[in-house]
Amino acid sequence: MKECQGFFRKRTDEMKNVEWLLQMWLDQTGITKECRILVACSGGPDSVALVRALDRLNYTFSIAHVNHMLRDNAKKDAQFVQELARTLGRPYYDRSIPIPAIALERKQNIQHVCRVERYSFLEEIMLCHSYDYLATAHHQDDQLETLLLQLSDGRKLLGMPEKRKRSEYTIIRPFQFVDKAMIYHYLEELRQPYRVDESNESDHYARNWMRRHIVPA
């Protein structure tokens, strides 16, 4: 595995880092530039990097953003993503969802409600506009965090699949061979700004704690 990772690192340095790995994954998966992709973009570095890479590779895609109404800066995140879509000339969809009120009414975990409501909105867009693929920007570090969380909970180590077929579309995670450091380097090379979710610095959520204290070790 170490030799394989070393090979990919060397090759990505030679072939524009993130873009080369993304193109390789898309080619192997059979996703062509004629396929219609909807990218879920929060405005953070991962999804912004995915948007920029797909755009530079000339794929057919649109951008969707969900404002969970959990933070004071959430509106600015939406404005940022909308402006990114406008600059790139890509179709854009968004929705503001009152997650705190919904979670309180249903007496459910906020993160669970976020996921359910977010994917409900994204699926609505996918079906109404006949997209083939829903792309999220989960990467190698996210995969590691997921495996560690599953291990700590005593669950099967399944991780996150690269592809997951739904009835009329497929969810894809094309950044599986990309790590966080590569994403930051890529955005720096492009001089591309992004938004920072301050809640990611809180240890209140298990994934944040795993990311901040366990993964680095």
Side-chain angles (χ1 to χ4, degrees):
M1 181 61 73
K2 291 182 179 179
E3 291 179 359
C4 181
Q5 289 175 343
F7 167 78
F8 278 125
R9 181 72 68 183
K10 180 180 179 181
R11 289 296 296 170
T12 52
D13 287 343
E14 295 171 353
M15 303 293 291
K16 290 290 186 180
N17 299 325
V18 169
E19 291 173 20
W20 183 81
L21 282 178
L22 177 59
Q23 184 69 75
M24 180 186 69
W25 189 90
L26 292 168
D27 287 344
Q28 291 180 348
T29 310
I31 299 175
T32 67
K33 294 182 180 180
E34 289 70 37
C35 294
R36 289 170 49 78
I37 303 171
L38 181 67
V39 181
C41 183
S42 67
D46 310 336
S47 56
V48 168
L50 179 57
V51 164
R52 288 301 311 272
L54 285 171
D55 181 70
R56 285 168 58 85
L57 293 171
N58 296 313
Y59 276 80
T60 303
F61 72 94
S62 302
I63 299 171
H65 175 81
V66 177
N67 175 2
H68 298 105
M69 302 176 70
L70 290 171
R71 301 159 34 247
D72 293 336
N73 288 327
K75 288 185 179 180
K76 293 182 179 180
D77 295 346
Q79 292 169 354
F80 172 86
V81 178
Q82 183 176 26
E83 178 61 20
L84 177 63
R86 187 196 66 79
T87 300
L88 298 178
R90 302 290 179 169
Y92 173 74
Y93 312 92
D94 69 0
R95 178 171 295 172
S96 295
I97 304 175
I99 295 297
I102 295 174
L104 182 63
E105 179 183 352
R106 297 178 183 172
K107 297 181 180 180
Q108 293 178 333
N109 176 275
I110 282 184
Q111 286 190 313
H112 171 74
V113 174
C114 281
R115 178 179 175 80
V116 170
E117 294 299 319
R118 179 170 63 251
Y119 275 97
S120 176
F121 163 67
L122 294 172
E123 181 165 289
E124 178 184 325
I125 299 301
M126 293 291 296
L127 298 180
C128 286
H129 299 276
S130 302
Y131 286 99
D132 303 305
Y133 296 95
L134 171 60
T136 68
H138 295 102
H139 48 78
Q140 277 188 350
D141 297 49
D142 292 324
Q143 184 72 284
L144 174 58
E145 292 163 13
T146 298
L147 289 168
L148 290 172
L149 286 169
Q150 290 173 344
L151 179 64
S152 65
D153 290 341
R155 290 178 284 162
K156 291 183 179 179
L157 300 182
L158 300 176
M160 294 182 291
E162 294 180 16
K163 297 174 63 178
R164 187 172 62 179
K165 181 69 176 176
R166 291 294 183 97
S167 58
E168 298 183 45
Y169 65 93
T170 302
I171 299 174
I172 58 173
R173 298 183 174 95
F175 266 7
Q176 289 284 358
F177 291 112
V178 177
D179 63 35
K180 193 76 171 183
M182 292 172 62
I183 288 172
Y184 283 132
H185 180 67
Y186 180 67
L187 293 172
E188 183 179 351
E189 284 187 331
L190 294 179
R191 300 182 183 275
Q192 170 63 54
Y194 52 85
R195 299 290 295 171
V196 176
D197 183 349
E198 62 274 13
S199 67
N200 287 336
E201 299 301 313
S202 170
D203 288 345
H204 177 72
Y205 301 110
R207 183 174 288 274
N208 288 356
W209 182 85
M210 191 72 71
R211 177 183 305 131
R212 286 161 51 82
H213 302 289
I214 303 300
V215 170

